[in-house]
Amino acid sequence: MSNYDERRALEGLQKLDSQAISAVYDQYYPEVFRYVYYRLSDQALAEDIASDVFVRLLEAVQNRRGPQSNIKGWLISTASHAVTDHLRQRYRRPVEAISETHMDHQPGPPIEFDLREQNRSVQQAYAQLTSEQQHVLALRFGEGYSLEETAAHMKKNVNAVKALQFRALAALQRQIGEVPHE
Amino acid sequence: MNNKLYDTLEICLQALENGDSVDTILTRYPDLESELRPILEAAQQAHAMPAPMPSPEAMRRGKARLLQQAAEMREAKRPTRGRQRVIPLFQRLAISLSLTVAALMGGTGLVQASSTALPGENLYPVKRTWEDMRLLFVFSPTVREAMEGEYEQERLDEVSELLREGRVVSITFSGVVTESTASSIVVSTVPVALTNATTFSGDPLTVGAAVIVTGQTDSAGHVSAMAVQVLPPGSVVPTGENDESEKPSTVNDNSGGSVPSTNENESQDENESDTPKKDTFHIEGTVQSVDGNVWIIDGQTVYVNDPALLALVKAGMQVEVRGYFTADGRFIVTQVEIKNSGSDRTGTNPSNNSDSSDDETNANQNDNSNDDNSSNDNSSDDGENKNENKNENENKNENDNSSNGNDNENSNGNESHD
């Protein structure tokens, strides 16, 4: 972490330097993965999409459309678009209910089972939110961004983010109440 | 109202983040409890959503895929780089070529102006630099040698011009020693005065030697030599002007009818391929040795390429030979006049000589004995005749003979034309 230099990393990406690419990947992949997972609640899918995001980074830098300074912001933003694209495709071609495919059905102790059930209902409720609401909650609760960081990332003012997160949490609460309990 | 709610929510979220319970937080805002409670409970659940770490295997796989992609991009980038380089390289070449051409074109006037410059003049360094530059870009040894010879000849011409104008300039030139006395030598037609201060280096100074002379021209029309360097045999040096080589001989006493003019510029031997200069010189003396086609006459080595001449001379004979110096300084014999053979041959009859000398002699004899036209036949006619080949000479002899109705001269050298 201490050896990581954002400016050198960008120069290395431009030159397709393997060391710099590896450093950027090691530095940011977990955060990108976490964000995607928060949005989709699917480990394998989150790993694939996160991996795609880094390939897009490489291509963008080579085409001079990449980040100028904030690599992490660019990665999260691209991950957000990638998730949105994925969700659109899934909505167009629904295959299975999320509960059937992505939820953890491994047997375990009753307490853990309750917890998993609770998480499942929250995830189902979360999946019903708008993309922007999902995004603000993922940033604030998944990535741990502050209000100001979230505002900067979403290119909104702080008050707009305050209102957005309020509405997102209210919507989530409503959806949780509507999720059928087994 | 909403702004107050949003601001309060943010404070509550930070408290929740710090570990406070929802109930504890809401006790601080009793008037907003009904609105905030569901929101804070949702936030608590949102915060509690699982956030697993990616599996190491997935990370490794993702990184390998990324590096593979980078490698492919590098591969794809290489030809692009090549093309990008080709253009600047071509541009650089084009620019260099343009500049060179511009420099050469721009410098043409100066170079042309310097072409007639003589040593000591302001433009003379330009002339020499231009010569060096031309040599720099010549890579063919043959062409280079020819150009060097041309420039050596140019040095000789410069010296001649300086002497004609009576200028006093330091010069260096090379040539062949054609005459030599104790106090002077003639180097490829340039008279060179030797003084006590003249230094000599290299081989012994003899007639026929190739030399480099360093000295000063003077108003008296000769070069005062400061140094004379004798070059090793085979050195290529200019032998002197050949502009007059086509001139017919102008001196001919013709009294004996047998002795051709002295030092006339004759074209002696058309079969001699390496004869860039055909100024005729003569050497008189005793034949000290005969070794194949190499004779030594009073210390001077001469070469005989005509087989017909080889049979004429033996060691001990007193002869006068005529010939020319080749570019490498060798003296090639084209005429032999036996002054005193020490045998049954009388010395002054050169009738058995071959080549043009035969014709010349034949013509003279024909003229003298049979022809009543004039005694000066060999002045112009012979001069032309000397430039003809052997067959033509034969024809001329035949014509002469037939016109005279006299075949008594056929015993002359015609049979020597084998």
Side-chain angles (χ1 to χ4, degrees), chain B residues 159-313:
Chain B
V159 174
S160 299
E161 182 63 23
L162 289 171
L163 292 176
R164 267 196 291 275
E165 296 181 8
R167 294 198 215 174
V168 180
V169 181
S170 295
I171 47 86
T172 297
F173 71 101
S174 57
V176 177
V177 178
T178 55
E179 291 180 30
S180 178
T181 67
S183 60
S184 68
I185 55 176
V186 176
V187 180
S188 297
T189 73
V190 175
V192 179
L194 305 176
T195 66
N196 292 334
T198 305
T199 59
F200 297 90
S201 60
D203 295 340
L205 183 64
T206 58
V207 173
V211 295
I212 295 176
V213 177
T214 302
Q216 198 171 47
T217 58
D218 60 24
S219 56
H222 63 263
V223 173
S224 296
M226 289 186 287
V228 177
Q229 180 188 357
V230 181
L231 298 172
S235 301
V236 178
V237 292
T239 55
E241 294 184 19
N242 60 348
D243 297 338
E244 298 171 0
S245 61
E246 299 303 319
K247 291 180 182 176
S249 59
T250 55
V251 179
N252 186 3
D253 60 7
N254 208 22
S255 56
S258 63
V259 181
S261 62
T262 58
N263 203 27
E264 64 270 58
N265 295 304
E266 299 167 351
S267 194
Q268 299 288 345
D269 188 356
E270 296 295 334
N271 294 326
E272 186 62 40
S273 59
D274 57 345
T275 55
K277 312 296 179 193
K278 295 196 175 177
D279 304 81
T280 302
F281 304 99
H282 61 92
I283 298 173
E284 188 171 346
T286 305
V287 179
Q288 295 172 316
S289 71
V290 174
D291 181 10
N293 70 330
V294 181
W295 303 345
I296 297 177
I297 303 172
D298 283 355
Q300 171 66 45
T301 302
V302 300
Y303 297 82
V304 186
N305 293 338
D306 190 337
L309 296 178
L310 291 173
L312 299 176
V313 175

Side-chain angles (χ1 to χ4, degrees), chain A residues 20-41:
Chain A
I21 293 168
S22 296
V24 170
Y25 184 87
D26 293 341
Q27 180 74 18
Y28 294 122
Y29 182 85
E31 293 183 55
V32 174
F33 165 81
R34 193 162 58 238
Y35 172 86
V36 177
Y37 182 88
Y38 197 95
R39 295 284 304 270
L40 299 176
S41 301

Side-chain angles (χ1 to χ4, degrees), chain A residues 82-141:
Chain A
V83 169
T84 304
D85 290 345
H86 171 78
L87 291 176
R88 277 197 197 118
Q89 289 175 2
R90 196 170 71 177
Y91 291 148
R92 268 187 221 127
R93 293 179 296 169
V95 283
E96 295 173 282
I98 190 169
S99 59
E100 296 294 325
T101 57
H102 300 134
M103 293 297 108
D104 188 356
H105 293 291
Q106 290 179 350
I111 296 176
E112 289 182 13
F113 178 77
D114 290 343
L115 189 59
R116 285 197 298 273
E117 275 300 305
Q118 186 183 350
N119 286 337
R120 186 182 65 84
S121 62
V122 173
Q123 287 165 345
Q124 281 186 314
Y126 178 84
Q128 305 305 311
L129 302 182
T130 68
S131 180
E132 192 175 43
Q133 290 170 343
Q134 288 183 24
H135 187 43
V136 73
L137 294 184
L139 292 177
R140 290 234 57 188
F141 302 107

Side-chain angles (χ1 to χ4, degrees), chain B residues 57-368:
Chain B
E57 175 58 30
M59 280 195 72
R60 230 180 0 257
R61 201 171 53 242
K63 188 192 280 189
R65 180 188 167 203
L66 186 65
L67 292 176
Q68 173 66 25
Q69 182 72 21
E72 289 175 6
M73 286 179 172
R74 279 195 297 270
E75 277 301 311
K77 215 175 177 181
R78 272 195 188 117
T80 307
R81 277 183 183 167
R83 281 194 294 275
Q84 285 171 345
R85 280 179 190 161
V86 164
I87 294 170
L89 181 64
F90 174 75
Q91 287 174 343
R92 279 201 300 275
L93 283 173
I95 289 168
S96 302
L97 193 62
S98 303
L99 288 175
T100 305
V101 169
L104 291 176
M105 295 294 285
T108 300
L110 192 64
V111 170
Q112 281 184 341
S114 71
S115 63
T116 56
L118 294 173
E121 294 179 352
N122 288 336
L123 286 179
Y124 189 69
V126 177
K127 180 183 184 177
R128 297 298 299 269
T129 304
W130 178 246
E131 290 177 357
D132 291 342
M133 270 186 65
R134 287 185 66 190
L135 284 175
L136 200 64
F137 290 104
V138 173
F139 303 103
S140 164
T142 310
V143 177
R144 188 184 181 85
E145 193 175 323
M147 285 180 70
E148 286 174 341
E150 180 187 327
Y151 294 147
E152 290 295 336
Q153 180 64 42
E154 181 68 18
R155 301 289 87 75
L156 203 58
D157 295 342
E158 289 167 1
V159 174
S160 299
E161 182 63 23
L162 289 171
L163 292 176
R164 267 196 291 275
E165 296 181 8
R167 294 198 215 174
V168 180
V169 181
S170 295
I171 47 86
T172 297
F173 71 101
S174 57
V176 177
V177 178
T178 55
E179 291 180 30
S180 178
T181 67
S183 60
S184 68
I185 55 176
V186 176
V187 180
S188 297
T189 73
V190 175
V192 179
L194 305 176
T195 66
N196 292 334
T198 305
T199 59
F200 297 90
S201 60
D203 295 340
L205 183 64
T206 58
V207 173
V211 295
I212 295 176
V213 177
T214 302
Q216 198 171 47
T217 58
D218 60 24
S219 56
H222 63 263
V223 173
S224 296
M226 289 186 287
V228 177
Q229 180 188 357
V230 181
L231 298 172
S235 301
V236 178
V237 292
T239 55
E241 294 184 19
N242 60 348
D243 297 338
E244 298 171 0
S245 61
E246 299 303 319
K247 291 180 182 176
S249 59
T250 55
V251 179
N252 186 3
D253 60 7
N254 208 22
S255 56
S258 63
V259 181
S261 62
T262 58
N263 203 27
E264 64 270 58
N265 295 304
E266 299 167 351
S267 194
Q268 299 288 345
D269 188 356
E270 296 295 334
N271 294 326
E272 186 62 40
S273 59
D274 57 345
T275 55
K277 312 296 179 193
K278 295 196 175 177
D279 304 81
T280 302
F281 304 99
H282 61 92
I283 298 173
E284 188 171 346
T286 305
V287 179
Q288 295 172 316
S289 71
V290 174
D291 181 10
N293 70 330
V294 181
W295 303 345
I296 297 177
I297 303 172
D298 283 355
Q300 171 66 45
T301 302
V302 300
Y303 297 82
V304 186
N305 293 338
D306 190 337
L309 296 178
L310 291 173
L312 299 176
V313 175
K314 291 185 176 63
M317 285 183 173
Q318 192 75 20
V319 297
E320 180 180 352
V321 297
R322 293 174 186 276
Y324 60 89
F325 286 97
T326 61
D328 59 4
R330 290 180 303 140
F331 187 95
I332 305 296
V333 177
T334 56
Q335 282 185 7
V336 177
E337 185 177 341
I338 300 171
K339 297 292 186 182
N340 179 13
S341 65
S343 65
D344 54 345
R345 291 180 186 239
T346 56
T348 56
N349 186 359
S351 61
N352 288 331
N353 289 346
S354 63
D355 292 334
S356 60
S357 61
D358 298 340
D359 307 315
E360 181 181 279
T361 306
N362 292 338
N364 288 335
Q365 292 205 348
N366 288 336
D367 292 340
N368 292 331

Side-chain angles (χ1 to χ4, degrees), chain A residues 10 12 31 35 62 72 106 109-110 112 138 140 146 155 168 173 175 179-180:
Chain A
L10 280 169
E31 293 183 55
Y35 172 86
Q62 294 307 306
K72 180 183 174 183
Q106 290 179 350
E112 289 182 13
R140 290 234 57 188
S146 69
K155 298 183 174 64
Q173 184 62 22
Q175 293 296 331
V179 171

